[in-house]
Amino acid sequence: MNEQKNKKTSKFLSYVLRHHPELIGLNLDENGWADVDELIIKSKRDSYQGLTFEELDEIVETNDKKRFIFNEDKTRIRANQGHSIDINLALKPQQPPEFLYHGTAQSNIDSILEKGIEKRNRQHVHLSEDKETATKVGMRHGKPIILTIRTKEMFDNGIEFYLSDNNVWLTDFVDTKYISK
């Protein structure tokens, strides 16, 4: 699959598996898993050109952010995180490293420094283990700003963290007292 089609397919999968499965009449279970055969069939009914198993497999294997995962026998697929729909990823609380990073656009800084980092329409706030990843995230919406989050301190104060299958750290909210610019 060429790079342009790969990107278009990845965006389609993100939209359907994270936000709007009803767009193609796809059923997700309580943990966000979709039947691969159903996804392939229903993607062909949509104005989208349709997917093959080989294309799905390539997207799961080559997506630089590892947004998607198959179950062991590759009969089910889901997005690793970033859902705006109510699903249970069945993640277990874990102790984060001392610091994590949050990439955002310059235009969001005043609000973040006033209110903290909110999950908004997502299930969690997303944090990165390295500044490079946080920079890429922040660049999507303008000039990137990287915030350092004192996650060990948060954890010591009873705030839960989860680690997604693609190594994105998740939490419900980051209070301003834990944020450094």
Side-chain angles (χ1 to χ4, degrees):
M1 187 171 12
N2 69 40
E3 190 175 327
Q4 185 177 357
K5 184 170 187 208
N6 193 316
K7 187 173 183 176
K8 182 178 177 183
T9 302
S10 180
K11 285 185 175 200
F12 171 78
L13 284 175
S14 288
Y15 190 74
V16 170
L17 294 175
R18 293 164 68 180
H19 308 295
H20 293 284
E22 74 280 1
L23 176 72
I24 60 171
L26 185 65
N27 296 304
L28 303 182
D29 73 10
E30 66 184 16
N31 302 118
W33 291 101
D35 182 85
V36 168
D37 291 336
E38 181 186 4
L39 174 60
I40 290 169
I41 290 167
K42 292 193 174 187
S43 73
K44 290 177 181 168
R45 288 189 207 151
D46 191 63
S47 59
Y48 190 74
Q49 72 269 16
L51 297 169
T52 65
F53 177 79
E54 291 73 22
E55 290 170 333
L56 279 178
D57 195 38
E58 183 177 335
I59 293 291
V60 171
E61 294 301 317
T62 63
N63 184 271
D64 62 339
K65 295 182 182 175
K66 299 293 180 198
R67 284 192 169 115
F68 315 104
I69 189 170
F70 282 120
N71 65 348
E72 285 188 26
D73 65 1
K74 295 188 176 184
T75 58
R76 300 183 66 68
I77 187 172
R78 79 172 181 186
N80 279 315
Q81 90 285 322
H83 299 82
S84 61
I85 55 177
D86 188 25
I87 64 151
N88 177 1
L89 291 172
L91 300 172
K92 293 182 172 60
Q94 295 191 32
Q95 181 172 347
E98 185 172 2
F99 300 103
L100 289 171
Y101 305 94
H102 182 76
T104 191
Q106 173 70 44
S107 59
N108 298 329
I109 289 301
D110 290 342
S111 176
I112 288 173
L113 295 178
E114 181 184 325
K115 299 177 188 173
I117 304 172
E118 303 170 312
K119 60 185 176 181
R120 301 201 177 206
N121 65 340
R122 302 276 177 105
Q123 287 192 313
H124 297 99
V125 170
H126 296 188
L127 302 171
S128 305
E129 286 190 19
D130 60 86
K131 291 179 182 179
E132 180 183 334
T133 301
T135 300
K136 288 179 185 175
V137 171
M139 285 174 44
R140 292 189 311 205
H141 304 289
K143 181 182 177 199
I145 300 294
I146 308 311
L147 302 172
T148 301
I149 312 302
R150 293 185 303 282
T151 46
K152 182 182 182 314
E153 186 179 337
M154 289 175 66
F155 181 81
D156 290 346
N157 288 332
I159 297 167
E160 290 188 336
F161 287 85
Y162 308 92
L163 184 60
S164 70
D165 289 330
N166 62 336
N167 294 317
V168 174
W169 284 92
L170 308 169
T171 193
D172 288 335
F173 173 73
V174 179
D175 191 286
T176 57
K177 66 185 175 185
Y178 301 111
I179 301 171
S180 301
K181 225 172 128 179

